[in-house]
Amino acid sequence: MEAFQQMLSQAGWAQGMQPWALSGLAMLFAGGTILGGVAVGAMFFIWTERKVAGYIQSRYGPMYVGHFHGVLQSIADGVKLLLKEDIWPTDADKFLFRIAPLLVFTGAFLSFVVLPFGPDFVGASLDIGLFYAFATSSLVVMGVIAAGWGSNNKWSLYGAMRGAAQVISYEIPLGLAVLPVVMSVGSLNLGTLAEAQRGWLWSWHLFNPIFFVSFVIYLISSLAEVNRVPFDLPETESELVSGYHTEYTGMKFAFFFLGEYADMFVVSAIAVSVFLGGWYTGIPAVDAFVPAPLVFILKSVFLVFVQIWLRWTLPRLRVDQLMYVCWKVFIPLSLANLFIYGLIRSMVG
Amino acid sequence: MISTVIWCLFAGMTVMAALAVATSKNVVHCGFGLLFSLLGVCAMYVFLGADFLAATQVIVYVGGILVLILFGVMMTHRITATDLKSELVQPVAALIAAVAILVLSVGMILEQVWPAKEHLDPITPTTHAFGVSFLTDYLFPFEFASVLLLVALIGAAMFTRDSAGEDSDHV
C-alpha cells in the first residue's frame, strides 16, 4: 500500500490530488494487482496440475493449445466456461446458489492481502496477519455450506456438510501448530515471522526440532483445509459426483475452481513465511541480489507442486479416519508440542 | 471522506442483514443474514482500531457458532417445510421490553467514558495488551470460561455416545 502510494507520487500523477483520492487509487492498484495475480496464478496452477497428473500417470496431459505443452489450455478453458450456459437447478435456493461462489472466492482472495511477498511487497502489513488469514477461511466454509444447501441436491449437501466439518475441525491443529513459532518470534505479522528467519539456511524455523513437528502438522492440516487429496471428501468424485459444486456450471464453477487454487497458494505461502524462511534464500550473500518476491513465489509454488504431487499419489481417507486423525492425533500432538515449547522457553528464559 | 462512505456502507449492511434475520421466513436465509450482520460488526471493530477483536469476531462467530447453527439446521429433517412465524404476539409486552433494552443500552453508551483515541491512523497492535490483561487482571474470568467450555465439550461427548464403554463406529 505505502509502496504503491510512493510509486504514484514519484510518477508525478499525484500532483494536485487529494490525499483521500491518492490512498483510494493506491487501494485500487493494490487490489487490482492481487486480483490479477490470483486469476493468472490459478490458471497456471490448473495447467500445472493437469501436466503433473499426466506425467505421474504416464501420459501427456494437455498438449495442443499454445503449441508448447498446452500452456494456453487454461485460457481456452476459461473462454469455454465464459460461453457456457448458466444452468440453475429447478428448486435451487436462488440467493444462496448465487452468493456461494462469490463467498468461496472472496475468502481465498482476502487472505492474499497479508501475504508478505517481500519486505515491501505486502498488501497490508497487519499485526494480526496470521490470525486474519485463518479468519478469512471462515468465509470459505460459509460459501461451501451455501453451495451445498442452495443446490438442493443431496450429494451437494453431503459434500458441503463434510467440507464444513472438515475445515472447522482442521482449523484447530492448523492454528495450534503455528503457535510455538508465534511464541518464539512474538508477533502474528507474517512479515515479521519471515524476517526472523534471516541469515543462513539453519535459521529457518523448519530446522528447529519443535517447529519441525509444527511444520508437519501444519502441512497435513492445510491439505484438509483446502480440501485436497487425501482429504478431498467434500468432492469425492466416486461417491458424491463432485460434492458441493455438482450443480454449478460456467463461470460460477470457475469461481469455485479459482478459489480452490488460490487457497492452495495461500496455505503454501503462509507455510513459507512461517517455516521456510519467507523471502530469504538461506545464503546471505545471495539474498543481496535475488529479488525477494521471486524467492517467495518460487518457494510457494514448490509447496503447491507438493500438494499436486500428493493428490496423484495417495488414496483418499474415509470420513471417520479423517476425523480420527484430526481430533485424536493432531490436536493432542500439537498441544503437547506447544506445551513442551512453552516449558523449554520458561526454563531457558 | 472515503472512510466515511465505507463506514456507511458497512453500517447499512449490518442493519439490513439484521432486519433480514428478523423478518425472513426461511431459517437458512436467517443464518446467512446473520453472516452479513456479523461481518458488518467486524468492520465496525476495524474502524475502531480493534484489529484482534475483528478477526476473533469472524473466527468465533462466523467460523464457529454460525457454522454450528447451520449444521443443526441442515441436520434437521424437512426444516424448510416449516415456515417461521413472524407475526405479532403480545405487542404491548414486546414493545415494553424493546424500549427498556433501548433505553438501557443508550443510557450506558452515553454514560460510559470511551477510551477512544482522537486519531487512529496506523492501527496499533492490540494483541500484547490483550495477552497481558488476560493473564493478570482478568485471569479468573479467563480460566472460568475455559473450564465452562471444557465442561460443555465433555458433556457433548457424553450425550452423543451410544452406550458407555462401547466404541461406536457410526460416523
Side-chain angles (χ1 to χ4, degrees), chain A residues 167-177 221 225 326-327 331 334:
Chain A
V167 174
I168 59 172
S169 303
Y170 274 88
E171 247 172 27
I172 303 168
L174 204 64
L176 286 175
S221 306
E225 188 78 8
C326 177
W327 291 97
I331 293 181
S334 49

Side-chain angles (χ1 to χ4, degrees), chain A residues 20-21 23-25 27 93-96 99 103 126-128 131-132 134-136 138-139 141-143 145-149 157 160-162 164-165 168 171 188 319-320 323 327-328, chain B residues 1-2 6 26 28-29 31-33 35-36 39 51-56 58-60 62-64 66-68 70-71 73-76 79-80 123-127 153 167 169 171:
Chain A
W20 62 264
S23 68
L25 203 63
M27 278 183 206
D93 188 319
K94 291 266 169 359
F95 171 66
L96 295 183
I99 64 164
L103 282 177
L126 297 184
D127 286 302
I128 50 151
F131 198 52
Y132 168 89
F134 289 146
T136 51
S138 311
L139 272 185
V141 182
M142 292 308 292
I145 292 180
W149 182 265
L157 188 58
M161 301 279 272
R162 284 182 182 183
I168 59 172
E171 247 172 27
L188 285 164
V319 182
D320 60 325
M323 288 299 167
W327 291 97
K328 294 194 177 170
Chain B
M1 165 70 194
I2 268 194
I6 297 175
N26 181 331
V28 179
H29 284 183
F32 279 89
L35 164 71
F36 290 107
L39 287 180
D51 53 353
F52 185 77
L53 203 56
T56 313
V58 176
I59 283 197
V60 173
V62 177
L66 193 53
V67 170
L68 281 183
L70 286 172
F71 242 67
V73 168
M74 289 180 184
M75 292 276 195
T76 313
I79 188 83
T80 38
I123 294 181
T124 45
T126 52
T127 37
L153 202 69
D167 265 335
D169 50 6
V171 180

Side-chain angles (χ1 to χ4, degrees), chain A residues 14 35 39 66-67 123 128 142 167 199 210 218 223 225 240 243 259 291 295 326:
Chain A
L35 190 61
H67 295 293
I128 50 151
M142 292 308 292
V167 174
I210 287 187
Y218 178 88
L223 284 177
E225 188 78 8
L240 295 183
V295 177
C326 177

